[in-house]
Amino acid sequence: MRKSKGQKNEASQQLKLFSWRAGELTETSSGGTGRRPLDREELLSVLEKQRTLTENLSERIVDHGNLMRAYKQVAKNGGSSGIDEMEVKELRQWLGGNIDKLREMLLTEQYEVSAVRKVEIEKPEGGKRMLGIPTVKDRLIQQAIHQEMSRYYEPLFSESSYGFRPGRSAHDAIKQAVEYIKEGKEWVVDIDLEKFFDKINHDRLMQRLSKGIGDKKLLRLIRAYLKSGIMDHGITEQRTAGTPQGGPITPCTQ
């Protein structure tokens, strides 16, 4: 698909932002090229520039190409159906006849987010972890959002972060830990925030996202996903805090 002049200019601006970030994030100290974390003022400056570039991010999220890439990832991940009982294998056929309508509904804010299906799984150390399984349509949209938002936020994440990162895994974290041991380090600190996902404050999260995302339409959609109800045995419980694990957008908003 040939890009319009406006799309090319927007892509050029985005490339300049990434290039500027690279200069800010990379520091040569003692001949090295390690990344340093941005201080507060630098981060706010980056987010301010980013907010300008993301004023129409919804249009890129609903782009045919982005939606089809999202579909392929949802199909690859598989998983159970949501409350509408549509299976992943049925999504392609549904999308083939409804993709234009879906795009229009998202752009005009007529799309209605569905409640998630509550599932509890046993934790190895005891207790249960609650998962919220979105419908496959919502998983598709969440994945499409995730793909575009990650392009902006991924360069800002810590080099020491491995969870929910593209091209990184727990094995990579172990390899890095081995390197630390080889350097002579001896102490390991293990920290686990109890029920972290369950206690995330929606207002605080949205306030932080609004610093770097200028598309108010997208922000309202993300809030709708945060507040979507949890259905358990036919009864929907409204959520005022937390992000249930189980959807593609959950790690994206952390």
Side-chain angles (χ1 to χ4, degrees), residues 68 71-72 87-97:
M68 292 313 296
Y71 161 73
K72 290 178 181 178
E87 300 287 346
V88 173
K89 61 184 179 182
E90 302 174 73
L91 180 60
R92 185 178 182 86
Q93 183 177 355
W94 180 88
L95 196 59

Side-chain angles (χ1 to χ4, degrees), residues 13-24:
Q13 287 182 317
Q14 188 176 17
L15 181 60
K16 287 180 181 178
L17 175 61
F18 285 158
S19 298
W20 181 85
R21 281 178 179 170
E24 288 298 308

Side-chain angles (χ1 to χ4, degrees), residues 67-117:
L67 287 175
M68 292 313 296
R69 287 192 298 275
Y71 161 73
K72 290 178 181 178
Q73 188 61 48
V74 170
K76 179 181 177 182
N77 291 341
S80 304
S81 61
I83 63 171
D84 63 354
E85 299 185 352
M86 178 186 286
E87 300 287 346
V88 173
K89 61 184 179 182
E90 302 174 73
L91 180 60
R92 185 178 182 86
Q93 183 177 355
W94 180 88
L95 196 59
N98 293 276
I99 188 169
D100 290 332
K101 182 179 179 181
L102 176 64
R103 294 178 70 244
E104 180 182 358
M105 291 179 70
L106 288 168
L107 290 175
T108 57
E109 299 187 76
Q110 296 181 40
Y111 181 82
E112 294 188 10
V113 172
S114 298
V116 297
R117 181 168 61 86

Side-chain angles (χ1 to χ4, degrees), residues 116 118-121 123 127-132 192-203 205 226-228 230 237-246 250 253-254:
V116 297
K118 183 178 178 179
V119 176
E120 291 183 328
I121 60 174
K123 292 184 178 181
K128 294 183 178 181
R129 173 178 288 111
M130 193 275 285
L131 299 181
D192 183 21
L193 300 178
E194 183 181 4
K195 295 185 177 180
F196 170 76
F197 286 94
D198 298 339
K199 298 178 180 178
I200 291 175
N201 184 288
H202 290 172
D203 291 334
L205 173 58
L226 288 173
K227 293 192 172 298
S228 61
I230 303 174
E237 176 185 344
Q238 295 304 310
R239 185 167 63 246
T240 58
T243 59
Q245 301 175 66
T250 299
T253 54
Q254 307 316 310

Side-chain angles (χ1 to χ4, degrees), residues 18-220:
F18 285 158
S19 298
W20 181 85
R21 281 178 179 170
E24 288 298 308
L25 290 171
T26 304
E27 182 179 77
T28 55
S29 57
S30 304
T33 57
R35 267 179 42 168
R36 66 174 175 81
L38 295 175
D39 62 33
R40 186 175 184 276
E41 290 185 2
E42 290 172 329
L43 179 59
L44 290 175
S45 179
V46 170
L47 292 175
E48 184 177 354
K49 288 177 168 58
Q50 177 176 294
R51 189 167 58 247
T52 301
L53 290 177
T54 56
E55 289 179 349
N56 298 303
L57 191 56
S58 292
E59 294 180 8
R60 298 206 297 276
I61 287 172
V62 302
D63 176 79
H64 279 83
N66 188 53
L67 287 175
M68 292 313 296
R69 287 192 298 275
Y71 161 73
K72 290 178 181 178
Q73 188 61 48
V74 170
K76 179 181 177 182
N77 291 341
S80 304
S81 61
I83 63 171
D84 63 354
E85 299 185 352
M86 178 186 286
E87 300 287 346
V88 173
K89 61 184 179 182
E90 302 174 73
L91 180 60
R92 185 178 182 86
Q93 183 177 355
W94 180 88
L95 196 59
N98 293 276
I99 188 169
D100 290 332
K101 182 179 179 181
L102 176 64
R103 294 178 70 244
E104 180 182 358
M105 291 179 70
L106 288 168
L107 290 175
T108 57
E109 299 187 76
Q110 296 181 40
Y111 181 82
E112 294 188 10
V113 172
S114 298
V116 297
R117 181 168 61 86
K118 183 178 178 179
V119 176
E120 291 183 328
I121 60 174
E122 299 288 340
K123 292 184 178 181
E125 66 276 13
K128 294 183 178 181
R129 173 178 288 111
M130 193 275 285
L131 299 181
I133 309 300
T135 66
V136 291
K137 298 175 192 175
D138 281 330
R139 297 214 291 271
L140 170 77
I141 297 168
Q142 290 186 21
Q143 180 63 33
I145 295 172
H146 174 81
Q147 289 168 180
E148 283 298 318
M149 286 184 60
S150 293
R151 294 167 59 186
Y152 289 95
Y153 284 99
E154 183 64 26
L156 297 176
F157 293 157
S158 169
E159 281 291 297
S160 301
S161 171
Y162 290 88
F164 304 110
R165 300 284 299 278
R168 293 185 171 213
S169 67
H171 291 94
D172 295 315
I174 293 172
K175 289 178 182 178
Q176 184 58 58
V178 171
E179 292 301 315
Y180 289 144
I181 293 172
K182 290 180 180 178
E183 292 172 5
K185 295 180 172 61
E186 299 177 352
W187 291 91
V188 174
V189 179
D190 183 21
I191 300 175
D192 183 21
L193 300 178
E194 183 181 4
K195 295 185 177 180
F196 170 76
F197 286 94
D198 298 339
K199 298 178 180 178
I200 291 175
N201 184 288
H202 290 172
D203 291 334
R204 184 174 297 176
L205 173 58
M206 293 308 304
Q207 190 268 341
R208 291 197 175 190
L209 284 176
S210 67
K211 289 183 181 297
I213 298 296
D215 191 330
K216 298 186 183 305
K217 189 183 303 182
L218 173 59
L219 292 173
R220 286 191 288 269

